[in-house]
Amino acid sequence: MSTVGEVTRAALRQRRAELWRLSGWSLAEALPAMLAGLLTARAVDDGFLAGRPATGLLWLGLLAAAVLVGAVGTNRAYALLGDVVEPFRDDLLRRVVTGALAGATGGRADDAAVARLTHQVEMVRDTYAGLLMVVRGFLFAAGAALVGLFSLAAPVALLVAVPVLAGLGLFAAALPAMVARQREYVLADEDLGRVAVAAVTGHRDVTASGARDRVTDWIGGYVDAQARVERRLATMAVTRGLTLAVGGWLPVPVVLLATPWLLRQGLGPGAVLGALVYVVRGVQPALHALVQGVAAGGLRFAVTLDRLLRTGTPPSVVGPDPGTPDAATTVGPTAGTPATPAPALSLRGVTFRYGPHAEPVLDRLDLDVPAGDHLVIVGASGIGKSTLAGLIAGVLRPQAGTVHLGGTPVAGASPAELAGRRVLIPQEAYVFTGTLRDNLTYLRPDLPDAALTRAAARLGLTGLLERLGGYDATLRPTGLSAGERQQLALLRAWLSPAPLTILDEATCHLDPATEARLETAFAERPGTLVVIAHRLSSALRARRVLLLDGRTALVDTHQGLLDRSAAYRELVGYGTADADEVRSTPPRGRSAPLPAGYAHPSSP
C-alpha cells in the first residue's frame, strides 16, 4: 500500500512545471519581506535621521514598489494553485471510487465509504492546498526575512534564529501527539457514519424488536464519543500557542534587550528598527502560518489521506472464474502437503444487538457452512435474517463472537479483502447510471463480452440484456423496474470472483418461476450459496435450512426441520397432519453428504 509520503511526493513530481512557476511567483511575493527591514533602515538612518526627508521618502517609495510586485506574485501564486491541487484531487477520487466499487456488495462495500467520498476527499483536497501554500509561504517569507537580517546585521540574525529554532523544535516534539488526536477524530467520524447507516439499514429489526429508543441511545453514544475526541483535539491549541510565543514573540524582547549592545557595535537606530520589522513582519507571520497550518490542515491531511489510501486503493481482482470450478479456501501446514479445507463460513458465539441495552437479535450463535454448501435462512419478518446476512458479509460487527470466511476473520478485513471473499445482493439492488457493461463488470472489470454473454445465457437473462439495448446501452436506474434491477444485480454477482454468494431476499421483486430459475443456477455456480428466503419455496431447493425463531436456531434439511420443529411447520403453513405430504417433495440442490446439524445453545 502506498504511504502518505509516497503519494504526496509522486503528486508533486507529476506537477514539476507548475511548481517551478509557482516558485517563481513566490519569489516575487517574498520580495517585500526581503527588502522591508533593509529599506526601512536606509530610510531612517540615511534619510529622516540624517535630515534628508526626500531620501527617506525615496527609500519608502522603493518599498511601496516592492509591495506592488509582491501583490502581483500573490495573485499569480493563488491562480496557479488549482493546477497543482485539482489533479491530485481527481486522482484521489479515482482511488476511492475504484476501491469502493471493487469492494461493493449490492452497491455498498463499506458504510464509511460515503464519508470518505463526500467528506474526507474534500478535506484532503482543501488541506493539501492549504498545506502547500503554508509551507511555500514559510520557506520563501522566512527565508527572505533571514536573508534580509543577515544583509542588515548578522548579530541580529543570530539573536532571532535561536528562539525561532527553539519554537520549531517544540512544535516538532508535539507533532506525534497531534497526529494521534487527529487520527482519533477521523476514526470517530467514520464510526459514527457506520453505525448510523447500520441503524438505518436494520430499521426493520429495530422496529420489530421495539428498540427505537435504545438504538437512538446507542447512536448518541457515538455522537458523544466524537465530541470528546474533538475536545481533546482542541487542547492541542495550547501547544501551538506555546510554540508561537517562543518562536514568534520571544525574538522581539530579545532584540529590544540587546539594543544597547547593538548600538555599541555600530548599528544605527534605523538598523535596529529594520531588524524588528523583519521579525514582526517577516519571521513571526511566517512561523504563525506554518504552525497553524500544519497543526490544523497538515494533520488532517496526513491522517485523512492515510485512511483513504488504506481503504480506497484499487484492489487486485482475484477469485474463481465463473465458468470453472473454484478452488476451496484451505489451510495446511506447508506447501506440497495435503490441506484441510476450511469452512466457507464459520460463526462462533456471535451475539448482536442494536444498542447496548437492547435484547440480542442473535445470541451466542454457532454455525459452520462448508465450502460448496447451499444454505437457506428462514424465519419470521424482523427475526434477524438480514442482520445475520450483514454479519456474514462484514457489514455489521458483532458485540461478541467471531465470523470467519474461508478460515480468515472478517474483523479487521478491508473492503477490498472482503470483496474477494463474498458478494452480497440485498433486497434493493444497486444499479448506477452508466453502460450496461459497466454495471455488470465493476466487480470483475477484466471480463470480455463473451463471458458476459455465456453467464447471461446460463441465468436466462439474454432477452433482458437485448431489451435494454446491449452492453453499450446507457442505463438509468429510474428507467428500470425493481425486478430488472434485481436481475442485473444477480448477473453481476454471478460474475463476481467471490466464492461465497449471499442473497438477502434478492429475488423479492421477481415472480416465483424466475426466482426458482435463478436460485437453481446459483446453486450450481462454483462456490457457496447462502439465501435469505423471500418465499418458503427456496427451502425446497436448498441442501440445508437454518431456522431462526427468536429462541432457537436449528439447521437441517427441509424434511428434517418438518420432523423436528413445530415452529418450522407453522412457518411453512403445514400442520402435523400434512408433514408426510411435504416430506414427499424432494429437495433440490447439491447432492453432497449433509454435514452434522446445528442447535443453538438455548434450544432443547
Side-chain angles (χ1 to χ4, degrees):
M1 183 192 68
S2 302
T3 64
V4 171
E6 290 171 351
V7 170
T8 305
R9 287 191 295 271
L12 294 175
R13 283 195 301 269
Q14 292 170 2
R15 315 306 299 178
R16 285 193 187 95
E18 291 82 358
L19 287 173
W20 279 114
R21 292 198 297 273
L22 182 62
S23 299
W25 287 111
S26 298
L27 283 173
E29 183 184 8
L31 188 62
M34 184 171 60
L35 298 179
L38 185 62
L39 295 178
T40 299
R42 293 291 181 265
V44 172
D45 290 337
D46 299 341
F48 301 115
L49 289 181
R52 296 191 294 270
T55 302
L57 291 174
L58 178 61
W59 286 114
L60 293 180
L62 291 175
L63 179 57
V67 171
L68 291 176
V69 173
V72 174
T74 301
N75 177 270
R76 295 303 305 157
Y78 276 93
L80 285 169
L81 184 62
D83 295 338
V84 179
V85 173
E86 292 307 316
F88 176 73
R89 172 187 178 274
D90 294 342
D91 177 69
L92 192 58
L93 274 175
R94 282 190 291 270
R95 286 174 175 267
V96 173
V97 172
T98 304
L101 291 180
T105 58
R108 186 181 74 246
D110 180 4
D111 298 331
V114 177
R116 287 194 291 273
L117 183 61
T118 60
H119 177 57
Q120 294 179 15
V121 169
E122 293 306 314
M123 181 187 294
V124 169
R125 189 271 299 271
D126 293 344
T127 53
Y128 177 62
L131 190 62
L132 186 63
M133 296 304 285
V134 162
V135 173
R136 175 203 65 90
F138 176 78
L139 292 176
F140 284 93
L146 290 175
V147 169
L149 271 172
F150 273 102
S151 65
L152 181 64
V156 179
L158 294 176
L159 289 174
V160 171
V162 172
V164 169
L165 292 176
L168 288 174
L170 178 64
F171 181 65
L175 271 178
M178 293 181 182
V179 171
R181 297 286 171 84
Q182 186 64 41
R183 182 175 290 109
E184 289 178 0
Y185 170 77
V186 172
L187 294 178
D189 180 61
E190 285 197 3
D191 288 341
L192 179 58
R194 182 179 291 110
V195 299
V197 174
V200 171
T201 55
H203 69 280
R204 293 183 305 162
D205 295 321
V206 174
T207 302
S209 60
R212 290 182 179 178
D213 293 338
R214 291 190 291 270
V215 171
T216 301
D217 293 339
W218 176 54
I219 297 176
Y222 283 89
V223 174
D224 294 339
Q226 187 187 41
R228 288 192 296 270
V229 169
E230 290 200 52
R231 285 193 292 270
R232 288 197 296 269
L233 185 63
T235 61
M236 301 311 297
V238 176
T239 303
R240 297 198 297 271
L242 186 59
T243 298
L244 293 174
V246 173
W249 290 104
L250 186 58
V252 175
V254 168
V255 172
L256 292 175
L257 291 173
T259 297
W261 176 77
L262 293 172
L263 293 176
R264 290 195 298 271
Q265 301 303 311
L267 267 70
V272 176
L273 179 60
L276 289 173
V277 169
Y278 277 126
V279 172
V280 175
R281 303 299 300 169
V283 175
Q284 190 182 92
L287 181 64
H288 183 275
L290 179 70
V291 170
Q292 296 291 4
V294 172
L299 293 183
R300 287 199 299 271
F301 171 78
V303 174
T304 310
L305 179 57
D306 177 71
R307 187 66 176 160
L308 289 174
L309 294 177
R310 289 178 182 275
T311 56
T313 303
S316 300
V317 179
V318 294
D321 189 307
T324 60
D326 65 324
T329 304
T330 58
V331 292
T334 57
T337 61
T340 302
L345 168 64
S346 178
L347 285 77
R348 287 291 176 268
V350 170
T351 296
F352 183 86
R353 50 170 57 88
Y354 288 103
H357 305 297
E359 290 296 321
V361 180
L362 300 171
D363 188 14
R364 296 171 295 143
L365 177 63
D366 294 331
L367 177 66
D368 284 324
V369 179
D373 199 7
H374 177 188
L375 177 72
V376 167
I377 302 174
V378 299
S381 178
I383 204 66
K385 303 188 297 298
S386 292
T387 299
L388 178 56
L391 290 166
I392 294 171
V395 177
L396 300 177
R397 297 180 182 180
Q399 282 82 28
T402 59
V403 180
H404 286 70
L405 296 181
T408 305
V410 168
S414 69
E417 292 169 335
L418 289 175
R421 303 178 199 168
R422 77 333 178 221
V423 57
L424 168 67
I425 303 298
Q427 294 181 44
E428 299 305 321
Y430 173 67
V431 176
F432 56 88
T433 300
T435 67
L436 177 59
R437 181 185 292 103
D438 290 341
N439 270 276
L440 295 177
T441 64
Y442 77 70
L443 298 180
R444 195 75 178 269
D446 58 328
L447 283 179
D449 288 354
L452 303 183
T453 301
R454 288 195 299 271
R458 177 63 188 84
L459 297 182
L461 300 180
T462 302
L464 172 63
L465 302 190
E466 291 175 350
R467 188 167 68 253
L468 294 177
Y471 298 125
D472 294 319
T474 298
L475 297 186
R476 291 177 175 81
T478 56
L480 301 174
S481 69
E484 288 172 333
R485 291 195 295 271
Q486 285 192 331
Q487 291 178 80
L488 293 178
L490 287 165
L491 178 53
R492 177 197 301 145
W494 176 275
L495 296 168
S496 163
L500 171 63
T501 303
I502 308 165
L503 305 182
D504 183 7
E505 298 191 19
T507 57
C508 62
H509 296 298
L510 303 177
D511 61 82
T514 303
E515 177 186 69
R517 184 185 76 242
L518 291 170
E519 280 190 10
T520 300
F522 270 92
E524 296 171 357
R525 176 183 183 268
T528 306
L529 177 63
V530 174
V531 178
I532 308 300
H534 171 64
R535 299 181 178 93
L536 266 298
S537 57
S538 295
L540 299 175
R541 293 186 285 269
R543 284 187 54 222
R544 296 194 300 163
V545 180
L546 172 63
L547 169 66
L548 300 177
D549 70 358
R551 295 180 299 101
T552 61
L554 299 174
V555 65
D556 207 330
T557 63
H558 168 69
Q559 297 177 2
L561 285 178
L562 286 172
D563 286 334
R564 298 173 59 187
S565 172
Y568 186 71
R569 290 193 295 272
E570 181 180 354
L571 184 68
V572 299
Y574 297 109
T576 304
D578 300 320
D580 292 336
E581 178 183 350
V582 176
R583 278 196 293 270
S584 66
T585 304
R588 299 176 65 178
R590 303 173 190 192
S591 57
L594 181 69
Y598 155 83
H600 186 276
S602 64
S603 63

